Amino acid sequence: MNKNTDNNVNKAQKSKIIFSPIGLYNQAVKDGLNTRKPDPILQHTIKNFIDNAYRNKLTNTQYNKAVAVFNTAHGLLLLKRGNERENEQKQYAYINYPYLDRQAVKGTMDKYRQYVFQYNEKTDVENDDIRKYNNTVVAQHFQLSETQKKRKAAFHTQNKKEFARDYNELVIQENKGIAIIPKRAIQKIKYSSELVFHVLVGFYVSQLRTRNAYLLEMKKSPRTLKNSLPKLKIDHRKLATHKIADIPRLSICKKTAQNHIKRLREADILINYLRINQNKPVSVNFNPLIIEILEGNPPKPQPPQNKPFNSLIEKSLHDSNETTRTKILKEKEIKDCANSTALIKSGSMPEQDNESNSERLAGGYKNTKGIRNEKQNSFGGANKIILPDFLNTTSKPIKTSNQLTRNFLNKLEDDQVLAKKLAAGAYDHYKGERYDYLLKIVQYGLLSTEDFKQVILQDFMKSSAKIWKKHNVYVGDWKNTINRLKGQMFVNMVNKETVIAKLKEYRWKLEFARNWFLKKEEVNALFPFAYFDKTRTKSNELGFYGLHSIWKSHLKYLEKKEINGKKEIQDSNIRKRRLSAQKKLTRAISKYELGTYNQEQLFNYVQDNLPHEYLLLLPNLIKNQNTNLA
């Protein structure tokens, strides 16, 4: 045999034939027929069965059911209908276009939950064995010598980054002589890790889409091997701060995200972990038992010979409504045509019988489309479609005002009248509108933002009158001030909540200025028009806009005050936890003195219920207590 023949033989040996369930059944029938020859009676029975199936026009499914019943009664004699081999596309070792859709993501999450459930059950069994090993084989910490304690601490420091199962394997090797190192309990997968895994699947969908688009743009194939799928790149900071519609998805820190990834790696949910350095994202693969990868572009089979050819290129011919026949028309017909044309141009629809057929000329040919000059009615002419209530676009009349809105707008005064009242001191003791009332107006009021800003601006002017309570201000100055502030304050604000927030800032500045002028009696406030001059931005110019730096300092003070308040609460919680732990330790030692606890029970209680530092102090406390009792 030559080289080509050897290659063909090897290919034939490597390509295994995989039978479908029908193929396996038929193979069993053929094997039975090789060893058994039907007698004439059985041959006649088989002939009647086949004739009846032909006359009744049974489908493949019905025929196969009847064959199964027949073979059960008479032995394996008839073959079933259908494909005897599996689809060849299932045997491909690659995926042409890997992607995930919504159904694949849902299937992946279902497999994840099933995998985690089985993993947690397995972990409970392993933790029971670990607990028994630590209680029966390993020596207690207070029984160790100083050398053994140092050896135990060194082993823990050297292998603390290992996974729990790998760590326990090293513990078994280390404890071959004297068992002084306990095994580490294996942590289960919690529900919060499911949220992290769901976000990772979303990242993988996006990365696959980007990868496929880039390769297609570069005129390269997005094909990948089934056992070597593209890796998922994980940036822990982006994972922790991931948002959907500006809403945090997880609300965790970077360290928490790293712990979740580590837990998923330990459970073999994420495999093939690769880390280059701290400045680059890590790369992982999903467990193939969990991830569901779809193939968007499967391999196309070879087209059979003598297949009719259809052009995929369609011609688009210009469609003109002009006729080329000789125009020999009477004057009356011309006028009628002109009138009908005028009706169509004015928006009327032509009658169905008089519709021009010229637009069908191009569409009458295969692979050819005509260009129509008017739009078709997609709803089928004059038949009116009855829509359900929730799709009915007929809107109900909307209220444009209510009593709350009218009462609020009644507070708006004419500028000249407001200026006279301000000059007369009518608002020297004015208190601004309450913030809860303004928020109620925002929620339930039916007024525009511009009207809302006008009322708020006049409210601000009334509140500022306290500064000039002891001074005479002319009406004209107040009127000029109102005109100036209309072009300065609350400009370019389209949100009513933003206007209220800005009003709080302005009110605080006014109150600060009022108190400052009361303390500095020798300094007189500028007149309102000069005081609200936007160019007076320095604090020593005694203008309203010069208070911006003081407002910033006030915000920093509030922020620092909030931080200090949180720190006080944290210190209080730490102090309370420490006092509670001391109280628990005192009670445990008292039970040990009374004989309720033995030494092992006392050690286990402190280990399970108190911080680790109390466990280190326990031997000295017991010795001191025994010395005092002696």
Side-chain angles (χ1 to χ4, degrees), residues 421-423 425-433 459-473 478 507 509-518 525-526 528 531-532:
K421 289 184 178 181
L422 289 171
Y427 299 109
D428 288 348
H429 302 281
Y430 177 80
K431 294 182 179 180
E433 298 293 344
D459 178 84
F460 172 77
M461 292 299 303
K462 297 172 185 178
S463 301
S464 67
K466 299 176 184 178
I467 298 178
W468 295 275
K469 183 178 180 179
K470 298 180 181 180
H471 304 279
N472 294 325
V473 182
W478 278 115
R507 283 182 177 178
K509 292 179 180 179
L510 289 177
E511 186 64 20
F512 179 86
R514 187 183 69 84
N515 294 329
W516 190 85
F517 284 118
L518 287 177
L526 299 173
Y531 181 74
F532 289 105

Side-chain angles (χ1 to χ4, degrees), residues 44-58 63 66 70 81:
H44 184 71
T45 305
I46 292 172
K47 182 178 181 302
N48 290 335
F49 177 86
I50 296 174
D51 292 341
N52 290 332
Y54 177 78
R55 282 193 296 268
N56 295 329
K57 297 181 180 180
L58 299 180
Y63 180 83
F70 182 89
R81 296 176 183 173

